[in-house]
Amino acid sequence: MDNTAPKKTCCESIQDFFTSAKFLIYMGHALSTWGDRMWNFAVAVFLVELYGNSLLLTAVYGLVVAGSVLLLGANIGNWVDRNPRLKVAQTSLLVQNSCVIVCGVLLMLVFHFKEQLSELYNGWILTTCYILVITIANIANLASTATSITIQRDWVVVVAGQDSSRLADMNATVRIIDQLTNILAPMLVGQIMAFGSHFIGCGFIAGWNLCSMCVEYTLLWKVYQKTPALAVKAGQKEQQLELRQLSPQKDLENGQSPEESAQPLMNEAAVVADPLDESKQRGCCYQASEPLRTFRSGWVAYYNQDIFFAGMSLAFLYMTVLGFDCITTGYAYTQGLNGSMLSLLMGASAVAGICGTVAFTWVRKRCGLIRTGFISGTAQLSCLLLCVFSVFAPGSPFDLSVSPFQDLYTHLMGEQTLPEADHILNRGNDTTTAPPAQELPPLQSYMSVSLLFAGVIAARVGLWSFDLTVTQLIQENVIESERGVINGVQNSMNYLLDLLHFIMVILAPNPEAFGLLVIISVSFVAMGHMMYFRFAFKSLGSRLFLCCSPEQKAETDAGPSLPATV
């Protein structure tokens, strides 16, 4: 008698995949990321348009967002750890999308009634609207941070189970979704605003988030139903286990049966809770200091982690101007690259990032997780040497004789505008604010800027592979009950170094000093990878430089001390 299970047909296998928890997480993440990328791109353009083509509101918004995550990252992670998974995911989803919808509607009103609002109370009503938009948008970003922590750093780990290879594949797929939406979503909303108006763009984003919120809510519920392990967190399991172990000891001491001791145990639990009630009665000072204590304990817990240096190495990579942000694109414009060329370079950067995610899964299977980080870091740093060479190549504007504070002084004195940044932010409308008299002279050579972008694009392969390595190290080596707070502190560290890199640019904004910023950026990247090397060598020792068999790779794949998931 043949007891083997019948093989599934192709249609049944496809149906199982499209109804699996893994695919539903991909769908929910794609919808969430698409909305985030559209909003993050559009809100900067909206703020510039509202404030008369000035970057002031955009700069204030960026500072508020970075400062909020820096200060509240540990508290957000602690909230994620202390509450049920489904409640955290649904609450953060509702808050995030609701805030974006409110901001969209508010911006529509401001765009439509801007002239009337500017005349009321000497413009104070309009200023209040600006403050409300920035405040609500910041709340949306904090909720997005909570969503990212709970889904990408916790739910993905639980859905993957104990399978490290499956976890790596899921992380890589999530990162590919990030790469694609990072390019396609801004393109869509940019075309809507270019062929329509900013008013229509606001309405489209608000409507998208309203529909997306309903679909994502349903997807989260389906994933939760298909993955029973999501229902109970490690902290809750440990507490139940301690109560079960405590009950027999109480029974032996008091000579009671387990049934008789059940009621006294409940009373004792109430007695244990009394000190908390007393602490609440101390006044509002104790409650007000709770976020500060959470902030301190979160950073202390992060410092005590075995993967501390690996996390720090990732944060140091944010202290760089060698990325496709407004700083590098603005510098490229000063070097004679037009918008068409910049769009092609950004596309090449996205392709390189996708190649990095694919390379991560391939290298990890053959060399192990920790060695993958070492190889990726070495590849990234090697490619960035091209950027250092570009500083001294023909066509480079690098000149230390020009004071790096000269442009800062002229900006503060109001003697110079920002044609480059305005051009970048208004490229969707095909307008340029720079007058003809300020057009940049043609370069003698494009070798410098070519080497710069060649290094930046090639380094994306190693960068994204390294990012995935550190992400999975944190997922696998942080106990489940601290997963939220550790990832919250990691986000804070990333934002801190990102803030420092913006401050560095503010202090030296002229193109002649950009070469100095490139050297400083590569130095920070090198320091970050030195930290990772210290972590890797401490974990593997001399085996770090040896090829390993699949069995040896499995033994060293999880890092220094992979904790058992309770």
Side-chain angles (χ1 to χ4, degrees):
M1 181 176 181
D2 189 7
N3 295 327
T4 59
K7 293 184 179 180
K8 294 184 178 180
T9 63
C10 181
C11 294
E12 291 176 341
S13 300
I14 294 175
Q15 182 180 2
D16 290 344
F17 174 75
F18 284 111
T19 57
S20 64
K22 182 171 66 173
F23 179 77
L24 296 178
I25 279 189
Y26 295 156
M27 286 294 298
H29 179 70
L31 290 173
S32 177
T33 307
W34 187 279
D36 285 347
R37 297 298 184 267
M38 286 198 306
W39 171 247
N40 291 335
F41 171 80
V43 68
V45 179
F46 293 155
L47 294 177
V48 171
E49 180 70 19
L50 286 175
Y51 209 67
N53 290 333
S54 171
L55 299 177
L56 178 61
L57 284 182
T58 305
V60 171
Y61 170 70
L63 181 63
V64 169
V65 165
S68 298
V69 177
L70 175 61
L71 296 176
L72 300 177
N75 289 276
I76 292 174
N78 183 63
W79 176 73
V80 171
D81 286 333
R82 296 177 61 182
N83 290 276
R85 287 189 173 98
L86 185 62
K87 175 184 176 182
V88 170
Q90 291 178 339
T91 302
S92 57
L93 173 67
L94 292 175
V95 172
Q96 176 190 357
N97 287 274
S98 299
C99 288
V100 173
I101 293 171
V102 172
C103 270
V105 174
L106 184 57
L107 286 171
M108 291 174 68
L109 296 175
V110 172
F111 276 119
H112 193 268
F113 300 104
K114 183 178 179 181
E115 295 183 359
Q116 295 87 331
L117 292 174
S118 62
E119 297 175 357
L120 292 176
Y121 299 99
N122 296 324
W124 281 104
I125 299 296
L126 187 60
T127 303
T128 303
C129 291
Y130 294 156
I131 296 174
L132 285 176
V133 168
I134 292 176
T135 302
I136 298 174
N138 182 48
I139 296 174
N141 183 74
L142 293 175
S144 176
T145 301
T147 302
S148 175
I149 292 175
T150 188
I151 300 298
Q152 298 184 40
R153 304 294 188 266
D154 187 29
W155 282 47
V156 169
V157 180
V158 177
V159 171
Q162 300 295 326
D163 192 341
S164 181
S165 296
R166 188 183 183 191
L167 177 60
D169 292 337
M170 291 187 68
N171 285 332
T173 304
V174 167
R175 199 52 48 88
I176 291 176
I177 294 173
D178 290 340
Q179 290 285 331
L180 293 176
T181 56
N182 196 32
I183 291 201
L184 298 178
M187 287 176 58
L188 174 63
V189 72
Q191 294 302 314
I192 291 175
M193 290 189 294
F195 291 99
S197 65
H198 291 89
F199 182 86
I200 296 176
C202 293
F204 176 79
I205 293 176
W208 173 275
N209 280 271
L210 179 60
C211 298
S212 176
M213 177 175 61
C214 300
V215 177
E216 289 178 57
Y217 195 94
T218 304
L219 292 175
L220 285 175
W221 175 246
K222 288 182 176 293
V223 172
Y224 189 79
Q225 285 182 319
K226 290 178 176 293
T227 313
L230 291 171
V232 181
K233 281 192 171 182
Q236 299 170 349
K237 296 177 184 178
E238 292 171 356
Q239 188 176 20
Q240 294 175 1
L241 183 61
E242 289 176 359
L243 289 176
R244 291 175 184 174
Q245 293 175 347
L246 181 63
S247 181
Q249 296 177 1
K250 294 287 184 181
D251 299 342
L252 294 176
E253 293 175 0
N254 301 329
Q256 296 176 331
S257 64
E259 291 78 5
E260 294 172 345
S261 62
Q263 185 63 34
L265 185 61
M266 295 294 294
N267 294 335
E268 290 174 9
V271 173
V272 173
D274 285 341
L276 295 177
D277 296 334
E278 293 177 1
S279 64
K280 294 179 181 179
Q281 297 173 358
R282 297 175 187 173
C284 60
C285 294
Y286 183 86
Q287 295 296 324
S289 62
E290 178 68 23
L292 296 177
R293 294 195 302 272
T294 302
F295 177 85
R296 179 184 177 278
S297 60
W299 283 83
V300 171
Y302 179 79
Y303 176 78
N304 291 329
Q305 295 293 319
D306 293 327
I307 46 85
F308 168 72
F309 281 103
M312 286 292 294
S313 66
L314 179 62
F316 265 61
L317 302 190
Y318 282 77
M319 179 63 178
T320 178
V321 296
L322 302 175
F324 279 89
D325 55 5
C326 57
I327 295 170
T328 307
T329 52
Y331 171 77
Y333 175 72
T334 65
Q335 299 304 296
L337 299 184
N338 55 28
S340 176
M341 180 59 67
L342 285 174
S343 63
L344 292 175
L345 292 174
M346 292 182 67
S349 173
V351 172
I354 294 174
C355 292
T357 60
V358 176
F360 163 75
T361 58
W362 187 84
V363 176
R364 191 204 65 83
K365 290 178 181 179
R366 287 157 178 79
C367 301
L369 186 60
I370 296 179
R371 291 186 182 88
T372 300
F374 178 72
I375 295 171
S376 302
T378 303
Q380 181 195 7
L381 193 58
S382 301
C383 294
L384 290 180
L385 292 179
L386 292 175
C387 300
V388 178
F389 296 153
S390 72
V391 175
F392 308 99
S396 173
F398 183 57
D399 187 1
L400 290 179
S401 63
V402 178
S403 173
F405 304 101
Q406 178 179 350
D407 279 6
L408 176 64
Y409 176 77
T410 54
H411 288 336
L412 294 176
M413 297 302 294
E415 296 176 4
Q416 184 172 337
T417 59
L418 291 172
E420 299 87 3
D422 288 342
H423 172 79
I424 295 298
L425 289 173
N426 289 281
R427 61 183 181 271
N429 296 327
D430 292 329
T431 59
T432 305
T433 59
Q438 296 183 358
E439 288 184 358
L440 297 169
L443 292 179
Q444 298 296 327
S445 174
Y446 286 94
M447 181 178 293
S448 175
V449 69
S450 299
L451 286 174
L452 175 69
F453 280 97
V456 171
I457 293 174
R460 309 300 279 185
V461 178
L463 170 65
W464 286 110
S465 179
F466 183 80
D467 178 86
L468 285 169
T469 299
V470 177
T471 297
Q472 186 160 342
L473 282 171
I474 295 176
Q475 290 172 331
E476 293 185 348
N477 289 275
V478 175
I479 60 175
E480 189 175 338
S481 59
E482 294 183 351
R483 198 174 285 158
V485 68
I486 298 303
N487 282 284
V489 175
Q490 181 65 51
N491 285 342
S492 298
M493 282 297 305
N494 297 344
Y495 271 94
L496 174 61
L497 272 297
D498 195 44
L499 269 178
L500 293 179
H501 116 265
F502 277 111
I503 294 174
M504 178 176 66
V505 176
I506 291 174
L507 295 177
N510 53 322
E512 291 80 7
F514 190 80
L516 181 61
L517 302 184
V518 169
I519 296 174
I520 295 175
S521 299
V522 175
S523 300
F524 269 86
V525 172
M527 285 189 288
H529 289 307
M530 288 173 63
M531 292 181 185
Y532 184 84
F533 176 77
R534 184 185 186 279
F535 159 79
F537 191 79
K538 181 180 179 182
S539 303
L540 301 181
S542 59
R543 293 177 297 166
L544 176 65
F545 308 102
L546 300 176
C547 296
C548 59
S549 63
E551 293 77 11
Q552 293 172 333
K553 178 188 73 68
E555 294 176 358
T556 60
D557 208 17
S561 57
L562 178 61
T565 302
V566 180

